[in-house]
Amino acid sequence: MTRRTWFWNGLMCAMIALTCAAIPVPARGEGAVAVRAETTLRRALAAMATRLWSGGWGMAWSLHGKVVWGEWRPKAHDWVCVQPPATPSIAEVYLRAGQLLDEPVFLQHARMARNALADIRTPDGGLPHEWAITGPRPFEATFDDGVTTGALAFLVKWWQHTENSEDLALVHSVGDFILKAQYESGGWPQRYPLRYEFSHHGLPDYTSYYTFNDDVVWENVNFLIQCYITLG
């Protein structure tokens, strides 16, 4: 297990333990297991809260916490990383923990992430890999690495929690972006709006090509179906 994934894996294990302990199972000592699971979860969530800046989280941190990584490079603390398992994934854990434990502080952290994701949408409604919350609005979004669909997954769950019309409108804005970026033939580019400036090792730009890498087509189709089932 690498330093880049330690916090996230520990948080997920604690979340799974608490979820299992919350299910009534007649077994000796189950109350003690539930207490230990909750204690572990709260410690993990407290640790993650120390890495919360500007409503979001990075992909990884140095051991002293002073250096934050985005997709592949160090970033300043006012940058929000969208690529899973960063902001949307961690916010979803806070949302679930807040619901299970009836803990307003955890829900507030999830709300901060919701607001940060809303603030760094492109004019078309998509999300970038990462962006400075204090900077100008991003102009280009990506489907690479589950960025936009990962954000949408959390936003749908947040709307299901709040049942707020503004949160539903936010979900629709990201969902509409997926439809807008789709080619008439059914595929999707890696990024949108289409640009042709990203040369790679001297080769022509490929980001406008139909993109199957990182499950772009599968993820987009899957989330459109899930949004249809959830939203009607």
Side-chain angles (χ1 to χ4, degrees):
M1 187 178 298
T2 67
R3 293 178 180 178
R4 292 176 64 87
T5 59
W6 181 86
F7 273 121
W8 173 245
N9 286 336
L11 193 58
M12 282 301 298
C13 289
M15 192 66 224
I16 293 170
L18 177 63
T19 303
C20 293
I23 301 174
V25 178
R28 183 178 180 181
E30 65 177 2
V33 171
V35 170
R36 290 197 299 271
E38 180 176 338
T39 299
T40 302
L41 175 64
R42 288 183 179 277
R43 289 180 61 189
L45 289 169
M48 292 302 295
T50 66
R51 300 294 185 260
L52 173 64
W53 285 287
S54 305
W57 289 268
M59 283 284 289
W61 305 269
S62 60
L63 293 180
H64 49 61
K66 296 180 180 180
V67 180
V68 182
W69 276 272
E71 183 197 11
W72 54 272
R73 55 185 173 176
K75 292 293 184 181
H77 288 167
D78 63 342
W79 281 68
V80 172
C81 186
V82 184
Q83 180 182 336
T87 297
S89 304
I90 300 172
E92 188 173 326
V93 175
Y94 274 101
L95 172 59
R96 182 62 176 146
Q99 292 169 333
L100 283 173
L101 302 176
D102 192 25
E103 179 56 72
V105 173
F106 296 160
L107 295 176
Q108 179 60 25
H109 290 335
R111 180 181 295 277
M112 292 172 63
R114 176 264 185 219
N115 293 341
L117 293 172
D119 288 343
I120 63 172
R121 285 174 299 155
T122 66
D124 294 311
L127 280 299
H129 275 106
E130 61 236 351
W131 201 257
I133 198 72
T134 56
R137 198 171 186 181
F139 56 85
E140 182 183 66
T142 184
F143 297 111
D144 189 36
D145 299 318
V147 168
T148 293
T149 52
L152 181 57
F154 164 67
L155 293 174
V156 168
K157 289 182 173 62
W158 178 255
W159 166 71
Q160 290 176 313
H161 170 71
T162 65
E163 298 184 340
N164 184 291
S165 60
E166 292 184 1
D167 293 323
L168 179 59
L170 179 57
V171 168
H172 277 292
S173 74
V174 182
D176 289 344
F177 165 78
I178 296 177
L179 296 176
K180 184 176 182 178
Q182 186 178 27
Y183 286 115
E184 291 185 4
S185 57
W188 279 272
Q190 185 193 65
R191 305 178 185 194
Y192 190 86
L194 298 178
R195 299 173 67 86
Y196 305 94
E197 306 170 353
F198 187 76
S199 62
H200 189 63
H201 296 301
L203 299 175
D205 176 274
Y206 62 82
T207 60
S208 63
Y209 296 174
Y210 297 163
T211 304
F212 294 89
N213 183 51
D214 291 324
D215 293 326
V216 167
V217 172
W218 184 90
E219 287 279 2
N220 287 352
V221 170
N222 178 60
F223 272 95
L224 288 174
I225 293 173
Q226 294 304 314
C227 284
Y228 177 79
I229 293 173
T230 303
L231 306 177

